[in-house]
Amino acid sequence: MPYTAPPPPPVPPRPPRGTLKLPEVRTVALTAPLTWLALGWRDLWRVGMPSLLHGMLLATFGLGLLMLARDQFWLLAGAFSGFLVVAPVLATSLYALSRALERGEPANLRTIGKTWTRWQFSRYAVHGGYWSLVRFGLMLSLAGTGWVLTSAALITALAPAPVNTPTDFLRHVVLAHRGYLFELWLTMGALMAAPLFASSVVSMPLLLDRRVDVLQAVLTSWQTVLTNPGAMALWAALIMGLTLLGMGTLLLGLIVILPWLGHASWHAYRALVDTRSLPERLPPEGNA
């Protein structure tokens, strides 16, 4: 009898055109972000050095920026603003570490390496594979660049004197006796930051954990914010406050704060989104 090759494994069908399946979003208590921080703190020290290495690398990068751009305020402000915007992408391996802990799997440097080098080759990329993460990261980078250019143009056009250093910004914008430039600058920043936060608050963990595309992830993130406006406002304030605290310690505090927030963000996603209706993206050991 001639040999007949076995049929290839079935590929999950794509959803019909025009349909978009979103997971259910849970309602959480106003104080839920405090619980996420507590769980993130636990994960940080359970993982240990692999998590702290993320903070060390990012703090070192920030220190290099300070040294290179100490007299070029807008380059410095733009770099740090861009970092805050793309931080959800940079924290992807922190989400993977927390997921490994949740599954009872090893959470170590090998987990990080596999996260970035193996699951992007999934044959299920049509369902939102590695390139969905890349596309979303590029979108966030473009949005951050747009804010930096808008902010620089506003200050350059309306400031009463040239602003070249942080001291100039404090003197001529924040403490200016006339005009409302600082208030206008803050308002514009809030108007641009709010939709970015709403689009990304659970998008990256969802893209890592489930086979979804960018649009599904972003719409789910918006639904999360609209369902829990109070808790999400507190979460945004905690993220901003802790990040500024880390920057105020000459970036040394970021060594702990950044991985802490990354792990906490995973727990925020798990508390807010019921993903049982979505196909799972297998861990790095698998093929999806």
Side-chain angles (χ1 to χ4, degrees):
M1 179 181 296
Y3 170 76
T4 302
V11 176
R14 299 186 69 174
R17 187 178 297 274
T19 64
L20 193 65
K21 186 175 184 180
L22 299 181
E24 180 182 349
V25 171
R26 303 186 183 98
T27 301
V28 299
L30 177 63
T31 57
L34 301 178
T35 301
W36 306 336
L37 285 177
L39 293 172
W41 186 259
R42 181 201 64 186
D43 284 3
L44 170 63
W45 298 112
R46 287 177 67 189
V47 175
M49 189 52 64
S51 288
L52 293 174
L53 281 175
H54 284 77
M56 292 177 187
L57 290 173
L58 292 172
T60 301
F61 175 74
L63 184 60
L65 287 176
L66 281 174
M67 296 176 65
L68 292 173
R70 59 184 180 274
D71 295 325
Q72 303 177 49
F73 175 73
W74 289 116
L75 176 60
L76 183 63
F80 278 108
S81 298
F83 162 76
L84 291 175
V85 171
V86 301
V89 180
L90 301 177
T92 299
S93 47
L94 294 168
Y95 310 145
L97 289 168
S98 280
R99 181 177 67 172
L101 290 176
E102 185 179 285
R103 295 171 181 266
E105 300 166 353
N108 49 35
L109 292 175
R110 192 163 177 254
T111 303
I112 296 173
K114 289 179 179 180
T115 299
W116 287 110
T117 59
R118 285 177 61 172
W119 51 262
Q120 68 264 40
F121 297 108
S122 166
R123 65 178 180 271
Y124 302 125
V126 294
H127 296 286
Y130 171 80
W131 292 108
S132 290
L133 291 165
V134 174
R135 286 193 295 270
F136 189 63
L138 290 174
M139 291 167 54
L140 292 178
S141 298
L142 289 174
T145 301
W147 159 243
V148 171
L149 295 176
T150 301
S151 175
L154 178 69
I155 299 299
T156 301
L158 300 181
V163 176
N164 298 315
T165 67
T167 302
D168 293 337
F169 181 78
L170 182 65
R171 181 185 302 119
H172 301 305
V173 178
V174 179
L175 301 179
H177 296 294
R178 297 180 181 178
Y180 298 94
L181 178 56
F182 183 57
E183 289 80 0
L184 177 61
W185 184 77
L186 286 178
T187 301
M188 290 187 62
L191 290 175
M192 297 188 73
L196 288 175
F197 174 79
S199 299
S200 61
V201 65
V202 298
S203 294
M204 295 305 299
L206 180 57
L207 285 168
L208 173 72
D209 191 46
R210 299 287 158 165
R211 292 204 300 268
V212 297
D213 58 30
V214 173
L215 182 58
Q216 285 175 289
V218 171
L219 290 178
T220 301
S221 193
W222 271 90
Q223 186 179 3
T224 298
V225 173
L226 294 175
T227 303
N228 299 279
M232 291 296 96
L234 176 59
W235 184 226
L238 288 170
I239 291 173
M240 181 59 67
L242 287 170
T243 303
L244 292 176
L245 177 63
M247 292 181 176
T249 59
L250 297 179
L251 307 185
L252 293 177
L254 294 180
I255 295 173
V256 172
I257 288 173
L258 293 179
W260 178 19
L261 290 175
H263 289 300
S265 295
W266 170 261
H267 290 285
Y269 153 71
R270 295 294 286 151
L272 290 163
V273 183
D274 183 349
T275 56
R276 289 175 295 180
S277 63
L278 297 175
E280 183 180 17
R281 190 186 307 286
L282 298 181
E285 287 76 13
N287 295 320

